[in-house]
Amino acid sequence: MLNLKESGTLKILDKVKSMQSKGVDVIQLDVGEPDFDTPRNIVEAAHRAMLEGFTHYTPSAGIPELRDAVAEKLRSENGLDVRRENVLITPGSKQALFYAVMALVDEGEEVVVPTPAWPSYIEMVTVAGGTVREVPPKDGFSPDIEGIRSAVNERTKLMILNSPNNPTGYVYSQEELRALAEIASDSRVYVLSDEIYERILYEGESRSFGSIPGVEDLVITVNGFSKTYAMTGWRIGYAAGPRDVIAAMNKLQQHSASCPASFVQKAALAALSPETPVRPMIEEFRRRRDFLCGALNRIGAFRVEKPRGAFYLFPEITLAGIDSVQMCNLLLEEAHVSTTPGEAFGGFSRNIRISYANSMEKLEEAVSRIEGALRKKG
Ligand SMILES: Cc1ncc(COP(=O)(O)O)c(C=O)c1O
């Protein structure tokens, strides 16, 4: 526990909360949480389930109809060869990632993580007693394939990939996925593919890693409902992978959470139906991405390219003499806008993460405040 780091984002959040408690109007661009309400058909399904008394324990791996629906989604949309036995429903995808790391990584084993990366991966590996080998990108945010190849050794058990990526919004190309699959299959390394942002995609396609031929028995695909369906507070996600790995993860679930909340599983089943209005949310995210990229490049203190997915920007700070922690503090203290230092995602001290999962009105106000604060600084 002493080796475990507190979440870097929480430090900022503590400061935000304390400012807010003093009545300061902080625009929060640090949290990765869609501002939309959960679509009505999903809420109604949960409500109905509760009124019908569906409020007790369920099978630990999840209700059969939801496991089947997830398997069907993964077969038809993602090209994965999975059945009910390959699927585990979990309280949030974070829990699925945690189980997978705990099930696969033993004391002294290594895990390769291309960076920038979501900070929790590293801490999960620390809990399991493993060591992370971080591999920074080579050009822009594309993964350094050769760097990853040379980071893999006889102690490597797992590689954790996340595309579309948090914090960069980068989406791996087909060539990159194929090259990574070759590394995994040559070295028989498991791959945890975090695809939580798969539907938040503005251009091109985002292929599921497990659909690349040759790695079918090595990939654990993780996805969830938080981001696509604005369901962060419901805590529901899933993993799909080889039966033995899923069975091991289910044992961890049996002895910790027992099962995900019963009526939330019914809500998740409704979310997967084609009637859920996902498209309007994606189009709104696209509008915000376009606005924010243009505005940040115009301000002059940042440089950013339009990412293809997720709802984050990871702009480079072009202003001399200020690192990511100082920039985030400046934006918070002078502009009352909260962002996350790039430090938190693998030591990117020249970048900050900005989430645009906030309303257009708030984004416009944030940009004008940031501009004002930077002008004042000179
Ligand atoms: C990359 C990534 N994976 C997983 C999660 C966890 O999502 P959930 O709410 O399903 O636990 C997040 C949430 O911020 C995320 O950004």
Side-chain angles (χ1 to χ4, degrees):
M1 284 307 107
L2 294 178
N3 290 334
L4 209 57
K5 282 203 213 87
E6 232 189 285
S7 159
T9 50
L10 283 188
K11 275 193 209 145
I12 287 272
L13 203 62
D14 283 349
K15 207 161 161 182
V16 171
K17 295 287 167 216
S18 127
M19 286 171 74
Q20 284 171 334
S21 72
K22 290 182 193 123
V24 180
D25 165 30
V26 179
I27 299 180
Q28 276 195 264
L29 305 187
D30 57 320
V31 283
E33 169 158 71
D35 57 313
F36 308 113
D37 286 337
T38 303
R40 207 176 163 84
N41 62 313
I42 301 175
V43 177
E44 282 170 357
H47 188 206
R48 222 171 18 249
M50 280 189 265
L51 290 176
E52 285 167 1
F54 196 73
T55 51
H56 300 98
Y57 291 134
T58 71
S60 61
I63 53 175
E65 58 268 42
L66 180 57
R67 292 173 78 196
D68 286 345
V70 166
E72 166 57 27
K73 180 243 179 262
L74 292 172
R75 279 195 304 271
S76 61
E77 290 179 18
N78 304 85
L80 305 185
D81 181 19
V82 289
R83 301 280 171 276
R84 183 191 298 178
E85 297 69 30
N86 303 101
V87 173
L88 178 72
I89 311 297
T90 55
S93 65
K94 196 181 241 184
Q95 198 74 14
L97 293 163
F98 196 77
Y99 293 151
V101 170
M102 290 303 287
L104 290 171
V105 180
D106 284 330
E107 196 85 33
E109 289 182 329
E110 292 189 359
V111 177
V112 172
V113 180
T115 58
W118 189 53
S120 292
Y121 301 139
I122 292 163
E123 304 309 320
M124 288 174 187
V125 174
T126 304
V127 175
T131 310
V132 170
R133 279 190 180 250
E134 296 179 28
V135 183
K138 215 168 177 182
D139 305 307
F141 297 128
S142 65
D144 176 4
I145 302 293
E146 281 322 304
I148 292 171
R149 197 187 297 281
S150 49
V152 171
N153 61 50
E154 66 285 354
R155 287 184 302 280
T156 310
K157 188 63 166 288
L158 180 68
M159 181 150 68
I160 305 182
L161 305 178
N162 172 218
S163 170
N165 179 266
N166 173 5
T168 64
Y170 186 81
V171 181
Y172 286 9
S173 70
Q174 298 268 1
E175 294 71 46
E176 287 162 347
L177 291 176
R178 268 195 286 271
L180 291 165
E182 200 181 288
I183 298 173
S185 79
D186 286 352
S187 311
R188 301 296 299 162
V189 165
Y190 281 104
V191 176
L192 188 50
S193 181
D194 180 352
E195 302 180 6
I196 184 106
Y197 295 101
E198 71 153 344
R199 294 286 298 278
I200 307 182
L201 185 72
Y202 311 108
E203 282 108 32
E205 59 167 342
S206 163
R207 185 165 175 187
S208 234
F209 191 78
S211 70
I212 311 273
V215 288
E216 298 84 349
D217 59 337
L218 293 171
V219 181
I220 298 93
T221 306
V222 169
N223 204 332
F225 297 82
S226 289
K227 315 290 176 173
T228 307
Y229 305 103
M231 289 177 73
T232 43
W234 297 70
R235 310 311 302 131
I236 187 92
Y238 57 86
R243 277 186 193 205
D244 54 346
V245 179
I246 292 296
M249 290 168 63
N250 189 27
K251 280 199 273 183
L252 287 167
Q253 174 136 294
Q254 286 170 352
H255 295 298
S256 54
S258 293
C259 64
S262 52
F263 45 86
V264 173
Q265 296 185 61
K266 291 282 190 183
L269 191 58
L272 289 175
S273 86
E275 72 173 286
T276 308
V278 172
R279 208 62 243 167
M281 295 194 268
I282 312 292
E283 286 314 312
E284 179 56 24
F285 282 138
R286 179 202 301 277
R287 227 163 62 86
R288 297 173 187 180
R289 174 199 67 163
D290 292 351
F291 163 73
L292 202 56
C293 279
L296 287 175
N297 284 326
R298 183 176 47 77
I299 286 175
F302 304 99
R303 185 167 41 229
V304 64
E305 274 180 36
K306 263 189 208 175
R308 288 210 287 128
F311 41 60
Y312 307 100
L313 299 181
F314 201 54
E316 185 188 340
I317 303 165
T318 53
L319 213 60
I322 181 164
D323 68 16
S324 72
V325 174
Q326 290 164 329
M327 179 58 97
C328 288
N329 280 331
L330 172 87
L331 297 184
L332 185 57
E333 283 155 21
E334 303 297 325
H336 300 162
V337 173
S338 60
T339 55
T340 312
E343 265 313 315
F345 303 94
F348 290 80
S349 61
R350 297 299 303 157
N351 299 76
I352 62 170
R353 188 190 75 173
I354 305 182
S355 159
Y356 51 90
N358 207 331
S359 71
M360 198 64 177
E361 196 191 342
K362 294 270 186 205
L363 292 179
E364 282 167 353
E365 169 68 15
V367 165
S368 104
R369 288 191 197 178
I370 291 173
E371 239 174 333
L374 291 172
R375 206 176 308 119
K376 217 166 83 190
K377 188 184 178 291

